[in-house]
């Protein structure tokens, strides 16, 4: 259940920071709410990883250790494109768990997929 820090680059070159817990089970992405960071999911991530899931807890653009958008784009479409970059990086279907902004991001990303 040892996590490690990863950086995921989006199609526009923006760097998204995340923590990853390896596991053979279904991948789970954890996306925080506005004003929070990936660390908000610490206990949840540990629990899911303890049950064998591969867990990726991400910092949304402009939050935590992720880069700020140089063009100032914080529209939902931009967040959703970032979400899809994370899913592509994982390389398989994921369960998306989000709080507030993170949940909306996942819902909107489905429309782009």
């Amino acid at each position: 259940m040892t996590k490690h820090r990863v950086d995921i680059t989006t199609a526009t070159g923006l760097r998204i920071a995340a923590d990853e817990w390896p596991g053979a089970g279904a991948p789970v992405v954890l996306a925080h709410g506005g004003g929070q960071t990936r660390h908000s999911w610490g206990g949840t991530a540990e629990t899911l990883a303890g049950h064998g899931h591969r867990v990726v807890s991400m910092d949304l653009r402009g939050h935590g250790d992720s880069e700020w958008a140089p063009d100032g784009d914080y529209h939902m479409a931009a967040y959703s494109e970032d979400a899809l970059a994370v899913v592509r990086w994982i390389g398989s279907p994921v369960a998306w768990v989000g709080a507030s902004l993170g949940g909306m991001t996942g819902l909107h990303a489905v429309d782009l997929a």
Side-chain angles (χ1 to χ4, degrees):
M1 274 197 308
T2 303
K3 73 176 177 178
H4 61 276
R5 161 80 190 269
V6 296
D7 288 320
I8 302 163
T9 304
T10 69
T12 61
L14 194 71
R15 184 186 48 77
I16 300 297
D19 288 330
E20 179 185 28
W21 288 258
V28 179
V29 175
L30 303 174
H32 61 79
Q36 296 178 325
T37 70
R38 70 187 187 276
H39 303 293
S40 302
W41 293 104
T44 302
E46 291 284 339
T47 299
L48 289 167
H51 288 304
H53 291 278
R54 178 181 180 192
V55 181
V56 176
S57 182
M58 65 181 286
D59 280 336
L60 296 170
R61 64 172 47 210
H63 292 77
D65 294 319
S66 288
E67 290 182 324
W68 289 80
D71 59 1
D73 188 358
Y74 294 94
H75 292 95
M76 190 51 61
Y79 283 114
S80 299
E81 288 292 345
D82 297 348
L84 292 175
V86 171
V87 171
R88 283 191 288 275
W89 178 83
I90 291 170
S92 61
V94 304
W96 188 274
V97 179
S100 189
L101 177 59
M104 290 174 43
T105 297
L107 289 172
H108 285 269
V110 170
D111 288 339
L112 298 177

